[in-house]
Amino acid sequence: MDNILVSKKVTKRFGGLEALGKVDLELKKGAIQSIIGPNGAGKTTFFNCVTGFYTPEEGEILFNGRNITGMSPDRVTHLGISRTYQNIRLFKNMTAIENILVGMHPHLKSWLIGAIIRDPRTVHEEAEALKEAYRLLEYVGLKGRGDMLAKNLPYGEQRRLEIARALASRPKLLLLDEPTAGMNPSETQDMVHFIQRLRDELGITILIIEHQMRVVMSISEKITVLDFGRKIAEGTAKEIQTNPTVIEAYLGRGAASGLGETAAKG
Amino acid sequence: MQNQYTDWKQALRSGLLGGAITVLLSLIGIVTAFSNTYIVNKVISFGELLIVGPIAALSLVAIQKARARHPGLLILTAIISGLTSGLVILALAGLGQVINLRAMFLNASNDLYAIYAYKQALVPGLLLRLLVSGLVGALVAGFTLLPGRIKAAISQGLLYVILVGLMGRLIGTVLNTWGFVAILFKWMFVANSLSPIGAIFLFLLTGGLAYWRYGRPKTKQITDPKKQKLVRWGTLGGFGLLLIFLPNILGMWFSEILDNVGLFILMGLGLNIVVGFAGLLDLGYVAFYAIGAYTIGVLTSPELGFFNLTFWQAFPIALIMAFLAGVLLGLPILKMRGDYLAIVTLGFGEIIRILVLSDWLKPWLGGTQGIQRIQRPVVGIGEFSITLQSQQQLYYLILAGIVLVAFVAVRLRDSRLGRTWMALREDEDVAVAMGINHVATKLTAFAMGALFSGIGGTLFAAKIGSIYPSSFQFLVSINILSLIIVGGMGSIPGVFVGALALMGLPELMREFAEYRYLFYGAALVAMMLTKPEGLWPEARHRLEFHEEETPPPEESEAVPESA
């Protein structure tokens, strides 16, 4: 089993609008892969289908060979898929460390009774979790920020905290929805390196939605292009850059002839 | 010259406002009602304070807004403000002589004018009033010119004299239970108010204290961790002892209030889990209170005679019932959020109340007649057992309940479950995407809240010995919700403070008779305006409200006039 995620003819409709139409996608274990496409192409909808927020009307999604189509989001997370959001969605009024601890939820066991009587197992579990949470906080470069409310962190740090929270559930597959949105070039560069580190050091497979072409081209081994809910191209950065359909989707009919290079640099 | 001109206008405006407030208070009838409620016996009454108070306050405003800095001009400003207020009062009295205001304002009576005129003949009396109003302004101005230390002393002294004077009757009740200690203080009070000598003594004592403390650091920082620990345990122990002896110190009447407040703390701690932690707006919380109380009633009352259990036999059953009711209510509303949830829970609360009231269930639940002769709890074994009956004895039962419930609430808050609740409150979708099972999490919150409320219900039944449907009105749910908001959402100490403020204060304010809810409402509005995060907010919320606070822009009064 080489593919960690396979989607087969996934279709999602909202009323009359087809947000995703028969999307096929294969994601190799240990890869960094991107989904690109103009606004409203269905990229985030695809993420929502994978993570269980939406149930596709047709098609199948397999995670490590297991059918997860229509599974509830919490079960999907338990299986090892974790995500971040386009518009950062941290638990704003909780501290950074609490955010990460919530992310660890699937791996902790204590519930009502344990919380009240604080048996040794619960105490041990909580202590370990806290240690792990601080380790993660440091890993994403937020050492010393643990007690700050998430909403009081600067923008870039909120992005990284969101990734830390996603990592806390120890995912096998991480879905990043525009991780560099709103960042300046040097912050973007840091983020690119950071994403590569995640894959290299933690062995996590990563699927990214990204708008900045420079990021997409430099980081991904394979790129899938969506437009109006349909897959219009797939391939390496080189192949995508010169694909006339892609250029047309981005810049309109007729642009394909001359502006290809510019669009790719975007 | 421009400056002085605007000051002059400002003074007039403040004066008019001060007079208007006084007139308003008079027409509501408070001034007349409290003209014989003395703060200092035969010297100043609460009614008089209600006349003079607004005048003084608005003179202060006039001074603070004045642009002139010369002391003479400031005093003049304040006097003008005071005199204007006096003129407004005079105008009311004068108008009252010409036309009969009573047709519209019941309280614009000759009694009121007599109070205005210091019970003298109308014309010289009212002139005296005008003089006093001006004098009040002058005194306020003089006060502001004093050095800070003396200002602090005077304001603290006055504050205590007014508070103690107002609470004279209550303090008397407490003192009466003290016996020999009471004699030491008796001379300070005459006929439920401070005696003149007592007032002077109290003023000097508290004012002196403020004078002495002025500018000193509040508490010395203790750095030694061992000492810190000692201090903490010492305070805790002292507080515990105080709690244990409180009913004996305060006497019967106060114990009853303490019991009531205690029950609301219990329920507040429960609802705080549902609303404060998990963010689920529950307006039918009283239902679980009713279920707890009625379960005890049905199981123990010999009048109904079904089971005739003792209180302690029925107690666990009542808790299970409340817990299950929480789960049952939780099930249908799992998918609802916000307003919808509030409406459905509200409906649930009403269903329970109407069921209890119904003829259909009358043979079991007693209908409007309720359930009487509920078994009182017995504690102890064999010969050493006593039946908890008096308010003072039941206080300990309620105290034990609170300690237990507060302990559980703190533990839950600091656990994985507590984090889960908060995550759900912050963003349900994301929380679910973090692997949180929202069904189990919400149900647990509802069930724990219901359980705590059920405990409150059982103790309530034990406390009054008979229960009626009218005890379980919708208003109870609202009161509990309000005390949580007043104390600070999600804050456990906030529940205590909120319950004391919301349930305790109105009892203490019995002095204000039928006007107490007027004062109480005004106090609530003022509080929510000045401390929107609650009286004792959760540490996290304190960050939330004050970190992004920016200083308000400089006031630029009087700009329109000059333009």
Side-chain angles (χ1 to χ4, degrees):
Chain A
M1 203 70 231
D2 209 21
N3 289 328
I4 191 165
L5 187 79
V6 178
S7 88
K8 290 181 188 161
K9 297 199 169 31
V10 168
T11 303
K12 175 72 198 168
R13 293 188 200 90
F14 296 107
L17 180 83
E18 195 179 70
L20 285 178
K22 298 201 165 79
V23 172
D24 289 317
L25 189 136
E26 289 181 357
L27 179 55
K28 276 206 171 55
K29 205 170 267 179
I32 298 181
Q33 192 165 327
S34 301
I35 301 181
I36 64 169
N39 284 329
K43 303 177 301 262
T44 302
T45 307
F46 182 75
F47 268 25
N48 284 335
C49 286
V50 172
T51 50
F53 278 100
Y54 298 155
T55 306
E57 272 80 29
E58 289 162 30
E60 266 188 347
I61 300 169
L62 303 177
F63 176 64
N64 275 334
R66 184 169 173 183
N67 191 348
I68 58 165
T69 323
M71 206 179 255
S72 68
D74 54 313
R75 302 257 336 264
V76 172
T77 308
H78 276 271
L79 290 179
I81 301 180
S82 193
R83 70 173 291 187
T84 66
Y85 299 83
Q86 192 174 345
N87 45 337
I88 304 174
R89 285 174 81 173
L90 287 165
F91 303 119
K92 293 196 185 71
N93 295 317
M94 297 173 80
T95 63
I97 210 75
E98 283 172 332
N99 267 277
I100 299 180
L101 283 169
V102 171
M104 283 181 185
H105 185 90
H107 298 285
L108 306 178
K109 295 204 172 57
S110 84
W111 199 243
L112 199 57
I113 304 297
I116 296 170
I117 61 172
R118 270 195 200 161
D119 54 306
R121 220 194 63 197
T122 307
V123 174
H124 178 75
E125 181 186 275
E126 281 290 296
E128 286 296 310
L130 198 65
K131 223 191 283 174
E132 168 82 4
Y134 275 108
R135 207 187 54 73
L136 267 172
L137 197 70
E138 200 178 334
Y139 185 75
V140 299
L142 294 177
K143 197 179 180 186
R145 302 285 204 183
D147 292 330
M148 276 180 80
L149 289 187
K151 67 172 184 189
N152 292 331
L153 290 171
Y155 183 79
E157 296 190 353
Q158 290 195 11
R159 282 257 173 236
R160 274 185 284 165
L161 178 59
E162 208 187 16
I163 293 177
R165 184 180 68 181
L167 290 177
S169 66
R170 294 180 214 150
K172 299 185 189 84
L173 169 63
L174 182 61
L175 309 178
L176 301 175
D177 198 340
E178 298 196 27
T180 66
M183 289 185 169
N184 66 31
S186 91
E187 284 172 334
T188 304
Q189 202 55 42
D190 286 348
M191 184 54 82
V192 168
H193 288 314
F194 180 66
I195 292 170
Q196 279 165 337
R197 247 179 77 202
L198 289 182
R199 194 263 311 260
D200 297 344
E201 294 179 8
L202 306 176
I204 300 172
T205 311
I206 295 169
L207 184 61
I208 305 174
I209 293 176
E210 188 49 75
H211 263 309
Q212 297 195 45
M213 288 303 169
R214 197 178 297 128
V215 176
V216 175
M217 297 303 166
S218 68
I219 206 173
S220 7
E221 281 128 31
K222 192 165 111 183
I223 298 167
T224 305
V225 189
L226 294 183
D227 190 25
F228 293 111
R230 306 224 160 228
K231 185 163 91 174
I232 56 168
E234 194 165 58
T236 62
K238 247 237 144 66
E239 290 161 5
I240 296 299
Q241 268 171 327
T242 50
N243 187 321
T245 330
V246 176
I247 297 164
E248 193 183 299
Y250 268 87
L251 294 172
R253 205 167 289 277
S257 47
L259 292 167
E261 207 56 23
T262 331
K265 277 180 187 158
Chain B
M1 277 300 104
Q2 188 77 47
N3 278 350
Q4 277 155 40
Y5 174 66
T6 52
D7 284 358
W8 169 255
K9 273 187 96 169
Q10 181 61 49
L12 277 181
R13 203 189 297 163
S14 301
L16 285 174
L17 188 59
I21 294 173
T22 304
V23 166
L24 177 73
L25 293 176
S26 308
L27 293 181
I28 295 171
I30 322 182
V31 170
T32 333
F34 294 122
S35 64
N36 284 322
T37 307
Y38 284 104
I39 292 174
V40 181
N41 200 30
K42 305 286 176 205
V43 178
I44 183 165
S45 68
F46 183 48
E48 178 68 19
L49 185 71
L50 288 173
I51 301 174
V52 178
I55 299 177
L58 269 298
S59 309
L60 194 64
V61 172
I63 293 171
Q64 274 167 354
K65 291 204 170 166
R67 301 194 158 191
R69 281 287 154 261
H70 188 275
L73 286 177
L74 284 181
I75 292 175
L76 191 67
T77 310
I79 292 177
I80 291 168
S81 172
L83 283 177
T84 316
S85 300
L87 282 172
V88 174
I89 296 172
L90 254 59
L92 176 71
L95 198 65
Q97 303 308 310
V98 183
I99 49 173
N100 183 13
L101 289 175
R102 295 204 70 174
M104 214 170 160
F105 303 107
L106 203 64
N107 295 303
S109 60
N110 284 330
D111 287 347
L112 178 67
Y113 307 140
I115 293 163
Y116 282 167
Y118 294 102
K119 312 234 156 100
Q120 311 293 320
L122 208 55
V123 175
L126 286 177
L127 285 177
L128 181 64
R129 167 66 63 193
L130 189 62
L131 201 69
V132 168
S133 303
L135 196 66
V136 166
L139 281 176
V140 169
F143 168 77
T144 59
L145 296 173
L146 292 170
R149 191 167 196 175
I150 299 174
K151 263 200 282 195
I154 292 180
S155 43
Q156 173 143 336
L158 281 179
L159 183 73
Y160 274 93
V161 168
I162 292 171
L163 280 182
V164 173
L166 277 179
M167 298 288 158
R169 191 197 308 254
L170 291 182
I171 293 169
T173 330
V174 174
L175 282 182
N176 280 339
T177 62
W178 274 18
F180 76 100
V181 191
I183 299 162
L184 290 176
F185 293 97
K186 268 270 152 72
W187 58 273
M188 279 177 70
F189 296 95
V190 182
N192 289 333
S193 61
L194 280 167
S195 65
I197 305 170
I200 293 169
F201 171 75
L202 188 67
F203 179 79
L204 289 179
L205 184 76
T206 52
L209 215 64
Y211 185 81
W212 178 71
R213 280 209 348 224
Y214 188 80
R216 282 167 202 261
K218 279 213 171 97
T219 41
K220 266 187 257 169
Q221 283 292 325
I222 301 162
T223 41
D224 182 18
K226 238 182 192 165
K227 259 192 187 164
Q228 257 178 351
K229 210 170 182 181
L230 204 71
V231 168
R232 189 178 325 142
W233 282 110
T235 346
L236 215 66
F239 194 62
L241 278 180
L242 181 72
L243 278 179
I244 287 171
F245 289 112
L246 211 52
N248 300 324
I249 298 171
L250 295 177
M252 203 61 182
W253 189 71
F254 271 100
S255 298
E256 163 112 50
I257 296 175
L258 280 178
D259 287 357
N260 286 335
V261 172
L263 286 175
F264 273 97
I265 292 176
L266 259 179
M267 290 187 285
L269 286 169
L271 188 61
N272 191 41
I273 289 180
V274 184
V275 179
F277 293 172
L280 305 163
L281 186 51
D282 182 353
L283 292 183
Y285 194 61
V286 70
F288 309 115
Y289 184 49
I291 288 168
Y294 265 90
T295 312
I296 287 284
V298 171
L299 293 181
T300 70
S301 169
E303 187 178 79
L304 293 168
F306 298 130
F307 303 98
N308 291 325
L309 300 183
T310 66
F311 178 84
W312 292 115
Q313 286 168 336
F315 186 70
I317 301 174
L319 297 197
I320 292 168
M321 291 291 283
F323 190 86
L324 289 181
V327 175
L328 274 182
L329 172 64
L331 280 175
I333 59 178
L334 285 168
K335 301 234 158 175
M336 294 176 187
R337 296 182 191 184
D339 317 353
Y340 305 100
L341 182 72
I343 297 300
V344 174
T345 51
L346 183 134
F348 182 73
E350 285 302 282
I351 288 172
I352 296 293
R353 191 178 63 84
I354 287 166
L355 276 183
V356 159
L357 198 60
S358 67
D359 281 340
W360 175 53
L361 288 173
K362 198 173 175 185
W364 295 281
L365 302 178
T368 40
Q369 269 107 57
I371 302 175
Q372 277 85 29
R373 292 169 61 203
I374 293 169
Q375 294 291 311
R376 306 281 188 165
V378 179
V379 288
I381 308 162
E383 285 175 49
F384 301 103
S385 62
I386 50 163
T387 309
L388 300 180
Q389 229 153 6
S390 76
Q391 299 300 335
Q392 273 144 313
Q393 289 165 334
L394 284 158
Y395 167 85
Y396 294 105
L397 189 64
I398 293 170
L399 184 65
I402 292 173
V403 169
L404 179 75
V405 163
F407 172 78
V408 172
V410 169
R411 280 280 168 100
L412 287 177
R413 181 194 61 190
D414 298 336
S415 70
R416 169 174 179 254
L417 186 56
R419 284 197 301 271
T420 311
W421 283 334
M422 279 173 233
L424 215 58
R425 175 189 72 194
E426 293 290 311
D427 191 329
E428 186 166 336
D429 291 331
V430 178
V432 171
M434 294 284 104
I436 290 169
N437 179 335
H438 74 288
V439 174
T441 309
K442 280 187 181 177
L443 284 185
T444 319
F446 263 110
M448 286 314 286
L451 179 69
F452 287 6
S453 184
I455 296 177
T458 59
L459 298 185
F460 173 72
K463 176 174 153 332
I464 58 171
S466 50
I467 45 176
Y468 307 95
S470 59
S471 308
F472 305 100
Q473 303 278 3
F474 172 57
L475 193 65
V476 178
S477 300
I478 295 300
N479 277 336
I480 303 169
L481 187 65
S482 314
L483 78 86
I484 289 175
I485 295 169
V486 166
M489 276 271 206
S491 155
I492 289 170
V495 170
F496 288 79
V497 178
L500 281 173
L502 233 62
M503 299 297 136
L505 269 192
E507 300 295 332
L508 295 186
M509 285 163 84
R510 284 203 186 275
E511 212 59 16
F512 300 138
E514 70 256 48
Y515 297 102
R516 90 180 137 134
Y517 282 104
L518 185 80
F519 285 98
Y520 173 69
L524 269 192
V525 171
M527 202 218 78
M528 283 328 283
L529 282 176
T530 49
K531 275 187 84 78
E533 76 273 34
L535 289 173
W536 190 323
E538 198 197 358
R540 157 189 357 265
H541 281 281
R542 211 168 291 172
L543 291 175
E544 190 181 322
F545 272 90
H546 289 290
E547 217 148 32
E548 46 198 12
E549 213 165 63
T550 47
E554 279 295 317
E555 270 185 289
S556 51
E557 270 295 321
V559 168
E561 278 96 335
S562 55

